[in-house]
Amino acid sequence: MNMSIKTPIYLDYAATTPIDQRVLDKMMPYLTSHYGNAASRTHAYGWAAEEAVEGARVEIAKTINADSKEITFTSGATESNNLALKGVAEYLREQGKHIISVVTEHKAIIDTCKHLERNGCDVTMLPVNAEGLVSIEQLAAAMRDDTILVSVMFANNETGVIQPIAEIGALCHERGVLFHTDGVQAFGKVPIDVKKMNIDLMSISAHKIYGPKGVGGLYVRRRRPRVRLSPQIHGGGHERGNRSGTLNVPGIVGFGEAARLAREAMPAESARTFALREHLRQRLSEIPHAILNGSLEHRLPGTLNMSFAYVEGESLLMGLKDIAVSSGSACTSASLEPSYVLRAMGLDDELAHSSLRMTIGRFTTRDELDYVADQIKFHVERLREMSPLWEMVQEGIDLSSIEWTPH
Ligand SMILES: *Cc1c(COP(=O)(O)O)cnc(C)c1O
């Protein structure tokens, strides 16, 4: 083992990221000396807080080619997704009740859609193909006269697969349907232009881009069309009435700085993480029967998801004790259910169970990835040696031809 490597090695940047030291430095004064309420209009403490919040809003808006007035701060992307879907459904209730989304969305979208369905909305969940992509033709065919909203995530949190966002946006605008995207995984990692891509609403989160947990945002388009929402949290009318509650000033300041750093580093950082991810992918492809999950072409630079046939995922994860990876998303990995995202892409339970999601981030090194690749290879081989299935595969027996006798 390379002794310069510090374990456990963190390869779960899609679940959350550490706060960048530069972000924390920027936040600190707003936790202690500049503690004003950004809504206090009568004194310098309030003005300083408001100015910092507005500065952060500008940095976040700039990252997606929006106007700062179009950013509503929330407690995170789960809330942003809830606000977008429930807020639009409620506001446009008279106009229509049909919403279209996709089976591989984050739970914050899927569960919100289910809630809306129980409350009188019609929801169509589009399938994805084996690469994890939605079809524009199927989306077009699913649209009805009473469709009010389409919600398709920018990039998937389990596979990194990037959907054809600009095409979806163009189609939605042509049909006069609002387009929301859960942009959490893509924000700060790949270029996003809400104008060019015809995005009307987009959810984002600070803790996925080296900012603090508990802060997020919703981009809400103000022109062509002006998007209106029914607020889901009522109170003092903060955030242009979209979301009441005293603003989390230090968190927002951190979010702004995290967005600025991500935007400025994006060209170099996406090339670096892409090269690292390809290195890891190639090393893991040396393992026989290793399968890449999701499109290689349409994918975030730093996200890799692979299945290792004939090993049991739980045992593999147990073996990889000093590597922080996940099988499925953080939200579902506690349940031991095979990933619904991979199942939707046509993987059988076994392959979905033997999957690993590995996400590379700002602090990942090539040495770490070599160590990870060696470890995965070692444990896959070890587990296969103990597997009667693997023995049969080695003997050339086609497992799909076997009729298993129930016991
Ligand atoms: C993490 C994540 C969320 C939830 O964001 P929070 O800020 O943690 O609530 C939503 N969607 C996607 C795609 C995510 O990866």
Side-chain angles (χ1 to χ4, degrees), residues 14-15 76-79 81 106 108 153 155 157 182 184-185 205 207-208:
T78 299
E79 186 191 330
N81 283 342
H106 190 271
M153 72 200 314
N157 46 302
D182 177 340
V184 173
Q185 293 291 335
S205 181
H207 76 100
K208 304 289 175 85

Side-chain angles (χ1 to χ4, degrees), residues 37 39 73 233-239 243-248 252:
N37 185 325
F73 287 117
I233 295 180
H234 302 91
H238 307 72
E239 298 297 274
R243 200 278 190 183
S244 289
T246 301
L247 291 178
N248 173 359
I252 289 167

Side-chain angles (χ1 to χ4, degrees), residues 338-352:
S339 152
Y340 66 90
V341 172
L342 298 181
R343 294 287 287 115
M345 290 159 59
L347 268 74
D348 61 30
D349 272 359
E350 277 69 34
L351 269 184

Side-chain angles (χ1 to χ4, degrees), residues 13-16 74-81 104-109 153-158 182-186 189 203-208 212-217 329-331 357:
Y13 287 90
T16 194
T74 65
S75 66
T78 299
E79 186 191 330
S80 303
N81 283 342
T104 51
E105 291 291 312
H106 190 271
K107 285 286 182 195
I109 294 290
M153 72 200 314
F154 206 115
N156 186 270
N157 46 302
E158 288 189 34
D182 177 340
V184 173
Q185 293 291 335
K189 297 187 192 121
S203 304
I204 54 180
S205 181
H207 76 100
K208 304 289 175 85
K213 293 168 180 62
V215 197
S329 70
C331 329
R357 175 185 72 176

Side-chain angles (χ1 to χ4, degrees), residues 11 33 98 103 111 124 136 151 192 252 272 274 278 348:
L11 281 191
S33 46
H98 184 229
V103 290
D111 290 352
T124 302
I136 297 288
S151 181
I192 300 177
I252 289 167
R272 195 188 70 90
F274 174 82
E278 278 303 280
D348 61 30

